[in-house]
Amino acid sequence: MIHAAAALQSGSATKAIEALVPAAPYELGSISWVTLYPVYLRGEAYLAAHQGSAAAAEFQKILDHPGVVQNEPIGALAHLGLARTHALSGDTAKAKSAYQDFFALWKDADPDIPILKQAKAEYAKLQ
């Protein structure tokens, strides 16, 4: 996960995706929330590589396993990732709905959190 995050941060989505290949068989393993972080990073990497459908599948995998995610931030961030994939594919209605899901989960968050501010700006562009 560290190699993938570093590759993603340096702008190499392909290297990030490759770094996460070994984690795939263990993603729904027994260590609870830790297991879905590679899924989240892979979704972010696919999104950075403009592979919207692949990214959407990864974010949806997180949303499909709320018992594994529990109250980890990636549960809410998966909604944001899904919103971005829908926006990338041009499906404004689905993008708006996913952004609204994200905002509902973060309704009590500090409004100055950078990712929340960024999400609100992205949402405003859809209007």
Side-chain angles (χ1 to χ4, degrees), residues 1-71:
M1 288 187 324
I2 293 169
H3 291 287
L8 194 55
Q9 188 68 23
S10 69
S12 182
T14 303
K15 284 185 181 180
I17 294 165
E18 291 170 3
L20 293 165
V21 169
Y26 308 101
E27 290 170 351
L28 295 174
S30 63
I31 306 178
S32 187
W33 61 271
V34 174
T35 57
L36 289 177
Y37 273 89
V39 176
Y40 176 75
L41 286 171
R42 190 177 304 108
E44 287 290 311
Y46 281 134
L47 192 56
H50 302 285
Q51 296 179 25
S53 60
E58 297 301 318
F59 294 126
Q60 190 61 52
K61 192 184 301 182
I62 293 169
L63 298 176
D64 289 344
H65 294 89
V68 176
V69 175
Q70 296 179 20
N71 65 347

Side-chain angles (χ1 to χ4, degrees), residues 8-9 40-60 63 73-74 76-103 106 113-126:
L8 194 55
Q9 188 68 23
Y40 176 75
L41 286 171
R42 190 177 304 108
E44 287 290 311
Y46 281 134
L47 192 56
H50 302 285
Q51 296 179 25
S53 60
E58 297 301 318
F59 294 126
Q60 190 61 52
L63 298 176
I74 62 169
L77 293 174
H79 289 281
L80 178 57
L82 202 55
R84 290 172 171 166
T85 64
H86 293 313
L88 181 65
S89 70
D91 192 336
T92 305
K94 284 186 179 178
K96 285 181 179 180
S97 177
Y99 275 112
Q100 290 167 358
D101 291 342
F102 173 71
F103 296 142
W106 280 39
I113 294 174
I115 195 152
L116 181 57
K117 289 171 70 172
Q118 183 179 1
K120 287 181 179 181
E122 293 167 8
Y123 182 75
K125 288 179 184 177
L126 294 175

